[in-house]
Amino acid sequence: MNEYWSARVEAALNAAKGDISIEDLPIRTNETSNAYSVRFNGVGDYPLYAYLHVPKSDGPHVPLFQAPGYGSVVAVPPYERRAAYMVLALCHRGQRLSNSQYSAAYPGLLTDGLPGEDTYVWGDIVADCITAVQILLQQPNIDASRLAISGGDLAWITGALTDGLHALQSGGLMFADIDSRMQGDPDYPIAEFNDFKRTHPDSWDEARSTLTNYDPMNLATGVDASKVMLSAGASEKSYYDKLASAVSGETTVRVNLAKGHLDHIAQEEWLAEACGIEPGPVHYPRG
Amino acid sequence: MTRRDPSEWKSSVRRPDDFDEYWRQTEADTMSVPLNPRLELDPMRSTSEVEVFEAHYDSYAGLEIAGWYCRPRNIDGQLPGYLFVPGYVSEPKLPTDLAMMGYAAFSAAPRNKLRSNSVFNPGYPGLLVHNLDKRTEYGYRGFYMDAVRAFDFLSGLDEVDSSRICVQGGSQGGALALLVSALRAGQVACASAGAPYLCSMMDAASLTRSYPYEEINDYLRLHPEREEVARNTLDLHDIHNFVDKIECPIIVNIGLMDDVCPPETGFAVFDQIGSDNKKLYTYEDCAHDAGTGVGHDKVMHTFLAEHLNPVAL
């Protein structure tokens, strides 16, 4: 782990030693799982919120950190995940429910704080995720040896910076292959980089240097999960194959079929098998 | 698992006796608020080919609503207009890609979305059940009007040919595309609605356990005594009850394994659409993506371009 991340990880781990509030969340409790609101402070005493869902079945449960995606809203974890895992879904700083001091903008978050390494907001966002994983691991009735992380960039980065991870499922990485994806007229959020470069040309080299800390390829050697799944678009396979080859654990690269039902089922079945449990109940279509 | 044919499913939505009067009054209340359209150039998001503006207008109950407006630079004559309406949890897209296609494109952020949530902010989850037990104060009443006013905003711009405006969206955006096409019938030139949400809402909650409809299940689990009150509120705001008014050419796409907006409700609302020029695209093994990854985006843009004749940059 390089100097950039080691200091941030240390601060994030220290933040997890602070006070934690866990309250019942009856409206999200259902027949398969109990729901809780988790409140704690991230680095810089920033107040954060997370959903925690605990299966009503006997434990110990597989702890699953559902890393936040790129958007203002963090969804309640899917029904099947709530039934099968002790799943924690974090709202990182700037997202709804964790926006009392800072509100992220879309577009805007991806370049907020660039060009400097110390001012780029994603350093603290990653730290929020690392703190949240530690809080998940502090919960009773879990099997910490089967810790799993799922999501996009924040799953990958958190996975690379977390020791003892068992399963990592990721894909759709924004920080992957930035230079080539900025060519032409990319869609947002990648276009945010183009906007920054166009309006701050003199700062781009420094910004690009900062972003190397988030390059999935540069973080790959830190991924020590036993099992890794990477989901790739058809045009991205060669990149993800290369990324997989840089990882030490048993790695699967799955090319998405762009058919949401089949892709979702494949991902959930992989995760359950990797964690040694049955997938959560299929709820649609009902018989 | 055996499964009933979703195309044969029947909606239980009822049309309240006061439906037309309720929405006539709601529109009248909305129109009493001056639109007050504002555009401010956003230099950071603008490019050598597309100008990007942060937009604002006023809507139902006087709330200020935000949006993104994008247009090609060096306009020669009037442009076709493209109203993009957003999904439930996603932020409205910044439609530079649509401007590149030759449209004057407006992407609205109805109340509760970021930049439009200083007064009304029930959150996500939250919006779907906000004031569910208060029939005329339900959260979607004003939200719907924000989408209709977004159309008025776009059609009122000098550089937009008001006879060539489409409305398009997926999920909640699909619902809003249907809504605007109905409430601006005769003005919307064509429309595309993907995986439409807010259709047969009470039924949908019994068909799936995925959010956002799971919000209704959550609500009724805590308040089972309010089921009939909730049904009455939802019937009054169900998109199913609007679509017989749609007159324009329209396409609808659904995923046959959509757990978010069950295809049963998509078939049912499509059957109700009043337009003679309508087509339904169904996609096997697709969920809420509704075929966008397997070619429907191309189908949609071809359809819209045939009706609107944009000149791509």
Side-chain angles (χ1 to χ4, degrees), chain B residues 68-271:
Chain B
W68 296 108
Y69 175 63
C70 298
R71 69 184 180 197
R73 290 189 187 273
N74 305 318
I75 298 170
D76 182 16
Q78 287 190 309
L79 299 167
Y82 192 122
L83 175 60
F84 176 82
V85 272
Y88 189 66
V89 298
S90 58
E91 295 307 322
K93 67 180 280 180
L94 206 157
T96 50
D97 57 333
L98 301 175
M100 293 288 289
M101 293 179 192
Y103 295 104
F106 186 55
S107 175
R111 65 192 63 198
N112 196 39
K113 292 288 183 191
L114 295 185
R115 302 184 299 138
S116 299
N117 62 344
S118 60
V119 174
F120 179 82
N121 193 28
Y124 304 96
L127 173 60
L128 183 59
V129 297
H130 181 72
N131 282 342
L132 189 53
D133 59 338
K134 301 179 179 67
R135 190 169 180 263
T136 61
E137 297 173 36
Y138 184 48
Y140 268 107
R141 184 179 194 180
F143 192 99
Y144 283 178
M145 290 297 101
D146 300 341
V148 172
R149 283 229 129 172
F151 180 88
D152 298 342
F153 179 101
L154 183 59
S155 66
L157 295 174
D158 289 341
E159 67 257 33
V160 174
D161 179 351
S162 61
S163 70
R164 289 190 293 153
I165 302 178
C166 73
V167 56
Q168 181 262 319
S171 191
Q172 179 184 263
L176 297 176
L178 295 171
L179 175 90
V180 174
S181 299
L183 294 183
R184 289 294 177 267
Q187 299 178 60
V188 175
C190 57
S192 170
Y197 173 51
L198 305 171
C199 302
S200 302
M201 288 187 266
M202 282 294 279
D203 293 326
S206 70
L207 289 166
T208 186
R209 301 301 304 272
S210 290
Y211 287 94
Y213 284 127
E214 183 74 347
E215 288 185 34
I216 296 173
N217 294 323
D218 288 347
Y219 181 91
L220 294 177
R221 191 182 310 112
L222 281 191
H223 307 290
E225 74 286 359
R226 297 183 190 170
E227 180 170 346
E228 192 57 27
V229 172
R231 181 180 295 278
N232 288 336
T233 299
L234 294 174
D235 282 346
L236 189 59
H237 298 82
D238 201 299
I239 296 297
H240 193 91
N241 285 327
F242 288 94
V243 298
D244 62 331
K245 296 183 177 67
I246 295 175
E247 299 173 0
C248 66
I250 186 167
I251 58 174
V252 177
N253 59 297
I254 59 175
L256 294 179
M257 296 295 278
D258 188 347
D259 62 302
V260 177
C261 295
E264 288 88 341
T265 62
F267 279 109
V269 78
F270 180 80
D271 284 345

Side-chain angles (χ1 to χ4, degrees), chain A residues 27-29 31 51 72 76 79 82 96 107-108 185 195 198-199 258-262 283-287, chain B residues 1-3 44-46 91 112 121 125 206-211 218 221 257-258 263-264 285 287 289 293:
Chain A
I27 196 164
R28 307 295 168 219
T29 291
E31 70 279 13
Y51 296 106
S72 64
V76 176
Y79 179 81
R82 286 180 279 154
R96 285 175 183 264
D185 294 301
D195 293 344
R198 187 175 55 252
T199 51
K259 292 190 169 190
H261 175 70
L262 298 180
H283 63 89
Y284 185 85
R286 294 183 180 177
Chain B
M1 177 183 293
T2 58
R3 181 189 182 192
M44 183 172 185
R45 306 293 170 202
S46 297
E91 295 307 322
N112 196 39
N121 193 28
S206 70
L207 289 166
T208 186
R209 301 301 304 272
S210 290
Y211 287 94
D218 288 347
R221 191 182 310 112
M257 296 295 278
D258 188 347
E264 288 88 341
D285 296 323
D289 49 307

Side-chain angles (χ1 to χ4, degrees), chain A residues 150-216:
Chain A
S150 175
D153 292 83
L154 288 171
W156 186 257
I157 299 169
T158 304
L161 300 174
T162 299
D163 293 331
L165 180 62
H166 175 68
L168 174 60
Q169 182 182 63
S170 193
L173 301 174
M174 294 186 301
F175 290 106
D177 208 10
I178 289 173
D179 296 316
S180 63
R181 293 168 68 207
M182 286 175 63
Q183 302 303 311
D185 294 301
D187 291 335
Y188 285 94
I190 295 301
E192 292 188 37
F193 291 132
N194 296 63
D195 293 344
F196 182 90
K197 183 179 180 181
R198 187 175 55 252
T199 51
H200 302 84
D202 295 340
S203 300
W204 179 244
D205 285 347
E206 185 183 358
R208 192 67 192 84
S209 175
T210 295
L211 293 170
T212 60
N213 295 299
Y214 298 83
D215 187 326

